[in-house]
């Protein structure tokens, strides 16, 4: 491209600034929004792709049925699973197992004698093979760092947190004040986009040393097994043959005698994040269908942006027809003209792309904060970069060639005689594209409203528990004897409840907003052992049910001061009651259940089902026991708006009793609100996408209207001379797109209704009902936007110099 | 009807100023038929456009029916034009997508006249212009003379006070040209005020008065 052509390019941009700006804005918004959406999509799809063996790693999961009714679908599996499969199937080359070790405190006494102590939310026990199956680069330490009991591998972030400049290898940390672990390795921090990530990996051998039977147990399944297959192995074959054989060889007989059966399956590691939503997921899953829809839309958005560019460029071509005519008469060849227009369009695209990339990087921190996609870099993602280059090169070439070919095709004689008109050919095609743009806009706009209503619905829906104004303090883990610690906590409780703003208190094993971590197995008294079933167990105090305002359906609550002694009592929710085999609460009351150790428990009350983990997870069969074991959370109801002041008061009292323990607290409202974080992020991405799609669709409309105006400028002039007012011109132009918009609405509403009902709302266990107004409101909004835009474009046309237009023959 | 005082129009491009009209003082009485003549670029059409309220003067005064309109805004100009001024162009300026009937009906629609009345008026004017048998045809299906008759029909349908014709016979053969001039004469005799721009001496002879322009100035006025 030589200087003269650059000059002409600049002059052409300047000649019609508005159109150049609209064209650039359309292209930039289109590419920019597509890039952001793709960043979100690729981040979600990039989960666990960093492992060298990613394609060959599978999680073993299973469903348990009784009389064809699902008892549970779990990501857990039995400890010997991996070993058995490796020994019996040559395709299995390695296996690793992790078991959560949640809500712990870790302390270290450093060289200067001070104690460093933190609460750690999510850690795991793991087999040493985790470093072979997964790609977790070791920075310090030897192979097989977790082969011995009471050893731990830590991330380099944890090493900095606890040890600063000190070398961590060989040092000992204390967990919950009474478990010692020696550091045998330091690994590089695990990426955010991984389903298994933790700063601490404790040796699985520790559990096996404490409870040797677990190593070979086909009854205790707490923990997930990952297997690594030979490259290109047929995992479906293993699923079909190997897994049923594993059950048959190890515990089928026992299951059969209980009328139960298990179905195992393998989950490809990279698919888990987007496709799996079962019990004991290590991460809250994301709806893969929605991610696929977003991906499709982003590509469509990109195409539409280029189509708008083509439309606007060809719409302007009428103004350059004369230039083409004169150039042709003066000897310009087809190729000369194509090269000129192609290079102009190409330069325009490259300029827009450059601005887009600058904007993308400038806005990326903000986008990443909102979507919480960490330090993921779209352009460093190998799969994306290839796709990006192909799509953009193709897009730019095609979008540049079409206007260039159209422009050079004008016949000089026609143009110079003044009989030139913009071709009607292709008008149908352009109208079709505008219709498609509107279908997408209506679908997205309806989606935004529906996603908003759904998110609000989830946030406002009664979970069956009242968690308002609740502050949770994590119970100290001092390593003292449970009974001693318990009495200290109770003493502290007395003091805490003296604070006037504290209106309630409860001490429990689990808190709402997370999965219940404890179980209870029992059967109805008088029934066979084979009828034993598993339930989630909440260890609570006598205040718990009242504190959370859980509805009692029959029987009674625990009495104040009641202890689990003598005849032990339990309370169940309806789901648990049904699993035990009672039909009504009244029928269950005062009956007994028996545990595996033949302990009897009297059912003294039945409470309504409640959503404990989140409103998005079904209530689970839960048994509530009045026991001190596993209690980990002190929850206080606080009637004050000055949270900071209250927290300070609580902290002071806590530190009086437990000076060396970290004071970790959280607001239950925030915690539960966090369970809907992914829904809010999706809503945000969707809303942003909708707004951008609408802007692009509106630019499409502007393009179409400008084409109309360029063809009908004289008619508009004549009408104006004859008395037509601005509104008449707007109506005339609106008629041009009315049929496309109406067609789009007729197509979009049923499509949106069906789509959102089946692909979006069905993924929730609690969802809103769709109403026609949810579709009509967006349509009306769109109508108003479109008409306003048309009116503005009409105003520009209406302000023409009549004398020039009418005499321009 | 029309009184201009020192009417001036200057066209400004990036660095050139062109004085298209220079101190035009013109008085047109009701019912007068005036021809404006002069060489190309002398300002004839500019004057006609200003008189027809489709362009605005840079300076001077323009009184139309006793009302100063030199400083009116776009919306007010449209209002002042509506129904009061009829236009006849050299190139007819009919809308291709509308039939003869619809083209003629258009000004009445902008005046919000009801359909029944519109129909009567359009039928009558088409009959008068002897083009009623072509009312359902599109402009491209008509000869030049017929198209100009449609344009005249459209110009007179609102019974405007002023009829402006910009070289109305410029695109017509002599036979059709004569027919158009006869029609304008008839309208003039019926009381219409007509201002016509023309290059043709013979067309100018139909007018009561001929004004000659040169370099944006009135250089001569003759009465027929």
């Amino acid at each position: 491209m030589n200087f003269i052509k650059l000059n002409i390019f600049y002059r052409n941009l300047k000649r019609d600034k508005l159109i150049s700006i609209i064209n650039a804005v359309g292209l930039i918004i289109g590419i920019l929004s597509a890039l952001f959406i793709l960043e979100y999509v690729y981040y979600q799809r990039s989960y666990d792709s960093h492992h060298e063996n990613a394609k060959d790693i599978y999680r073993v999961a299973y469903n348990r049925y009784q009389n064809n009714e699902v008892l549970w679908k779990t990501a857990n599996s039995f400890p010997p699973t991996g070993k058995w499969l490796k020994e019996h199937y040559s395709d299995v080359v390695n296996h690793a197992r992790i078991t959560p070790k949640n809500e712990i405190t870790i302390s270290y006494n450093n060289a200067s004698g001070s104690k460093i102590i933190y609460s750690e939310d999510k850690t795991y026990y793991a087999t040493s093979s985790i470093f072979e199956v997964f790609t977790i680069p070791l920075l310090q330490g030897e192979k097989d760092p977790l082969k011995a009991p009471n050893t731990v591998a830590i991330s380099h972030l944890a090493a900095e947190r606890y040890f600063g400049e000190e070398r961590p290898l060989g040092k000992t940390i204390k967990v919950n004040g009474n478990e010692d672990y020696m550091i045998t390795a330091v690994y590089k921090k695990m990426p955010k986009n991984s389903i298994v990530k933790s700063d601490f990996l404790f040796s699985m051998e520790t559990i096996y040393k404490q409870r040797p039977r677990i190593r070979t147990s086909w009854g205790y399944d707490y923990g997930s097994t990952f297997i690594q297959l030979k490259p290109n192995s047929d995992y479906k074959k293993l699923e079909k043959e190997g897994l049923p054989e594993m059950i048959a060889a190890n515990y089928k007989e026992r299951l059969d005698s209980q009328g139960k059966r298990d179905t195992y399956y393998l989950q490809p590691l990279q698919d888990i994040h987007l496709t799996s939503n079962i019990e004991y997921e290590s991460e809250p899953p994301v709806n893969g269908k929605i991610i696929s829809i977003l991906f499709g839309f982003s590509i469509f958005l990109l195409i539409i942006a280029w189509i708008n560019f083509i439309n606007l460029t060809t719409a302007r071509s009428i103004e350059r027809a004369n230039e083409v005519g004169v150039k042709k008469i003066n000897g310009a060849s087809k190729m000369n003209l194509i090269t000129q227009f192609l290079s102009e369009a190409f330069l325009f695209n490259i300029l827009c792309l450059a601005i887009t990339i600058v904007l993308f990087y400038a806005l990326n921190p903000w986008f990443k904060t909102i979507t919480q996609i960490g330090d993921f870099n779209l352009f460093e993602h190998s799969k994306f970069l290839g796709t990006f280059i192909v799509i953009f090169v193709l897009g730019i070439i095609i979008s540049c060639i079409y206007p260039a070919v159209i422009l050079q095709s004008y016949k000089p004689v026609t143009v110079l005689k003044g009989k030139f008109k913009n071709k009607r050919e292709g008008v149908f095609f352009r109208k079709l594209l505008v219709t498609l743009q509107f279908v997408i806009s209506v679908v997205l706009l309806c989606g935004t409203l529906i996603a908003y209503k759904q998110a609000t619905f989830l946030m406002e829906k009664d979970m069956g528990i009242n968690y308002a104004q609740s502050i949770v303090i994590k119970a100290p883990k001092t390593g003292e004897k449970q009974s001693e610690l318990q009495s200290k906590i109770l003493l502290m409780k007395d003091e805490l409840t003296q604070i006037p703003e504290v209106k309630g208190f409860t001490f429990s094993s689990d808190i709402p907003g997370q999965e219940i971590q404890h179980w209870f197995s029992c059967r109805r008294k008088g029934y066979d052992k084979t009828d034993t079933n598993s339930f989630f167990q909440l260890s609570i105090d006598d205040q718990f049910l009242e504190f959370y305002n859980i509805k009692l359906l029959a029987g009674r609550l625990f009495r104040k001061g009641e202890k689990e002694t003598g005849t032990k009592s339990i309370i169940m929710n309806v789901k648990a009651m049904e699993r035990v085999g009672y039909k009504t609460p009244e029928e269950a009351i005062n009956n007994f259940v028996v545990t595996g150790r033949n302990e009897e428990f009297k059912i003294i009350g039945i409470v309504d089902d409640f959503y404990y983990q989140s409103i998005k997870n079904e209530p689970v069969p839960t048994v509530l026991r009045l026991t001190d074991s596993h209690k980990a959370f002190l929850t206080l109801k606080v009637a004050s708006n000055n949270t900071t002041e209250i927290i300070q008061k609580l902290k002071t009292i806590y530190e009086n009793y437990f000076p060396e323990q970290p004071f970790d607290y959280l607001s239950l409202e925030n915690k539960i609100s966090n369970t809907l974080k992914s829904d809010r992020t999706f809503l945000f991405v969707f809303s942003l996408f909708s707004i951008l799609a609408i802007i692009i669709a509106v630019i499409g409309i502007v393009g179409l209207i400008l084409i109309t105006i360029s063809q009908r400028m004289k008619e508009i002039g004549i009408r104006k001379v004859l008395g037509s007012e601005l509104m008449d011109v707007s109506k005339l132009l609106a008629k041009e797109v009315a049929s496309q918009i109406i067609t789009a609405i007729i197509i979009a509403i049923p499509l949106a209704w069906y789509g959102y009902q089946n692909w979006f709302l069905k993924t929730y266990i609690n969802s809103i009902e769709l109403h026609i107004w949810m579709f009509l409101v967006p349509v009306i909004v769109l109508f108003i936007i479109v008409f306003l835009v048309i009116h503005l474009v009409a105003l520009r046309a209406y302000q023409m110099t009549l004398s020039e237009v009418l005499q321009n023959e | 009807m029309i009184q201009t005082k020192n009417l001036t129009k200057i066209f400004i491009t990036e660095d050139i100023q062109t004085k298209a009209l220079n101190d035009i003082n013109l008085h047109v009485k009701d019912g007068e038929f005036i021809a404006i003549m002069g060489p190309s670029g002398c300002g004839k059409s500019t004057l006609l456009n200003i008189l027809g309220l489709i362009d605005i003067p840079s300076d001077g005064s323009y009184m139309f029916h006793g009302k100063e309109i030199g400083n009116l805004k776009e919306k007010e100009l449209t209002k002042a034009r509506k129904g009061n001024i009829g236009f006849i162009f050299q190139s007819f300026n009919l809308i291709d997508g509308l039939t003869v009937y619809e083209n003629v009906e258009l000004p009445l629609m902008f005046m919000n006249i009801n359909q029944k009345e519109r129909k009567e008026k359009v039928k009558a004017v088409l009959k008068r212009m002897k083009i009623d048998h072509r009312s359902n045809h599109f402009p491209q299906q008509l000869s030049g003379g017929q198209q100009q008759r449609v344009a005249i029909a459209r110009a007179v349908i609102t019974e405007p006070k002023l009829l402006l014709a910009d070289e109305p016979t410029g695109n017509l053969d002599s036979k059709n040209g004569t027919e158009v001039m006869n029609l304008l004469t008839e309208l003039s005799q019926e009381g219409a005020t007509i201002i016509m721009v023309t290059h043709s001496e013979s067309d100018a002879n139909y007018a009561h008065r001929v004004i000659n322009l040169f370099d944006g100035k009135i250089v001569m006025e003759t009465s027929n």
Side-chain angles (χ1 to χ4, degrees), chain A residues 304-321:
Chain A
I304 289 298
W306 274 314
I307 287 166
N308 279 346
F309 169 76
I310 294 173
N311 271 349
L312 281 166
T313 313
T314 43
R316 290 175 67 192
S317 63
I318 197 161
E319 291 158 26
R320 298 189 68 179

Side-chain angles (χ1 to χ4, degrees), chain A residues 8 89 98 204 297 299 334 702 723:
Chain A
I8 292 173
Y89 287 88
I98 54 168
M204 188 69 81
F297 278 162
I299 297 297
K334 261 189 178 187
V702 171

Side-chain angles (χ1 to χ4, degrees), chain A residues 713-729:
Chain A
M713 197 61 179
K714 188 150 190 174
E715 177 184 338
I716 294 167
I718 297 167
R719 284 173 180 268
K720 189 176 168 185
V721 165
L722 296 176
S724 156
E725 291 186 18
L726 175 59
M727 197 47 92
D728 299 312
V729 178

Side-chain angles (χ1 to χ4, degrees), chain B residues 46-61:
Chain B
T46 308
L47 178 59
L48 199 71
N49 287 339
I50 292 175
L51 297 179
L53 312 183
I54 58 177
D55 206 346
I56 47 167
S58 311
D59 202 4
S61 150

Side-chain angles (χ1 to χ4, degrees), chain A residues 421 714-715 718-725 728 798-807 809, chain B residues 45 49 54-55 74-75 78 81-82 85 87 89 91 93-96 98 103 106-107 110 154 166:
Chain A
K421 278 193 171 169
K714 188 150 190 174
E715 177 184 338
I718 297 167
R719 284 173 180 268
K720 189 176 168 185
V721 165
L722 296 176
S724 156
E725 291 186 18
D728 299 312
Y798 193 75
Q799 284 166 342
M800 65 175 103
T801 311
L802 266 179
S803 51
E804 276 176 22
V805 173
L806 295 175
Q807 281 158 14
E809 284 285 314
Chain B
S45 295
N49 287 339
I54 58 177
D55 206 346
E74 180 85 38
K75 208 172 176 181
T78 305
R81 210 163 46 220
K82 207 188 281 189
I85 304 174
F87 292 89
F89 300 94
S91 54
N93 277 341
L94 297 175
I95 296 172
D96 291 343
L98 301 181
N103 263 292
L106 212 52
F110 297 134
R154 188 181 62 185
D166 192 355

Side-chain angles (χ1 to χ4, degrees), chain A residues 493-504:
Chain A
K493 171 213 150 182
D494 289 342
E495 199 167 330
L496 289 172
T497 49
Q498 294 300 309
I499 301 173
E501 290 90 345
V502 174
K503 303 294 179 197

Side-chain angles (χ1 to χ4, degrees), chain A residues 81-359:
Chain A
T81 305
K83 186 166 175 274
W84 192 92
L85 287 172
K86 191 184 173 198
E87 281 170 4
H88 292 83
Y89 287 88
S90 58
D91 277 353
V92 181
V93 292
N94 209 342
H95 61 94
R97 183 172 172 81
I98 54 168
T99 297
K101 184 173 172 66
N102 291 335
E103 308 294 349
I104 57 171
T105 58
I106 295 181
S107 61
Y108 169 67
N109 292 315
N110 66 15
S112 58
S114 53
K115 186 173 187 173
I116 294 158
I117 183 163
Y118 292 106
S119 283
E120 300 291 344
D121 279 347
K122 197 158 202 174
T123 66
Y124 291 102
Y125 288 107
T127 54
S128 225
S129 54
I130 193 167
F131 293 101
E132 293 157 11
V133 174
F134 295 98
T135 302
I136 308 169
L138 283 185
L139 303 175
Q140 292 174 38
E142 300 294 319
K143 199 173 173 280
D144 278 348
L146 303 178
K147 64 178 179 235
N150 292 88
T151 53
V152 61
I154 65 173
S155 77
H156 75 272
L157 288 184
E160 283 167 21
R161 197 158 65 234
Y162 284 86
F163 301 97
E165 298 292 303
E166 286 183 48
R167 188 176 159 79
L169 278 194
K171 302 246 165 37
T172 298
I173 54 171
K174 214 175 250 308
V175 173
N176 294 340
N178 58 5
E179 300 167 38
D180 287 341
Y181 290 88
M182 190 176 76
I183 294 163
T184 49
V186 177
Y187 54 83
K188 198 176 159 196
K189 182 193 88 155
M190 297 170 183
K192 197 172 156 70
N193 49 348
S194 176
I195 61 160
V196 179
K197 51 181 178 280
S198 173
D199 282 339
F200 293 85
L201 294 172
F202 298 95
S203 77
M204 188 69 81
E205 291 300 320
T206 318
I207 302 184
Y208 296 156
K209 188 183 151 200
Q210 288 164 357
R211 297 164 68 189
R213 281 176 56 197
I214 284 179
R215 190 192 295 273
T216 52
S217 167
W218 291 96
Y220 172 89
D221 71 354
Y222 192 39
S224 294
T225 303
F226 294 87
I227 56 170
Q228 181 193 340
L229 302 187
K230 276 183 189 159
N232 305 318
S233 299
D234 182 3
Y235 80 95
K236 284 281 169 195
K237 194 173 164 227
L238 179 65
E239 207 172 68
K240 208 171 150 193
E241 295 169 8
L243 296 174
E245 204 182 307
M246 179 181 79
I247 304 171
N250 295 292
Y251 65 100
K252 187 167 187 299
E253 217 171 289
R254 191 186 81 226
L255 276 189
D256 286 347
S257 68
Q258 295 170 353
K260 294 173 187 165
R261 68 184 169 86
D262 283 357
T263 310
Y264 275 83
Y265 55 101
L266 297 178
Q267 299 179 296
L269 178 66
Q270 288 176 285
D271 295 351
I272 292 173
H273 177 64
L274 292 181
T275 58
S276 178
N277 186 11
I278 50 181
E279 284 174 15
Y280 296 99
E281 291 291 354
S282 48
E283 279 245 316
V286 166
N287 187 344
K289 273 184 191 164
I290 288 172
I291 297 299
S292 298
I293 292 169
L294 282 179
F295 178 76
F297 278 162
S298 71
I299 297 297
F300 191 81
L301 200 64
L302 213 47
I303 294 169
I304 289 298
W306 274 314
I307 287 166
N308 279 346
F309 169 76
I310 294 173
N311 271 349
L312 281 166
T313 313
T314 43
R316 290 175 67 192
S317 63
I318 197 161
E319 291 158 26
R320 298 189 68 179
N322 206 40
E323 176 190 338
V324 175
V326 173
K327 281 189 173 169
K328 278 195 170 178
I329 280 173
N330 284 287
S333 70
K334 261 189 178 187
M335 199 40 76
N336 291 140
L337 291 166
I338 288 183
T339 315
Q340 182 199 332
F341 294 125
L342 197 60
S343 54
E344 281 185 25
F346 188 73
L347 192 62
F348 188 81
N349 260 278
I350 294 293
L351 258 178
C352 290
L353 186 61
I355 296 171
T356 308
I357 290 175
V358 170
L359 284 174

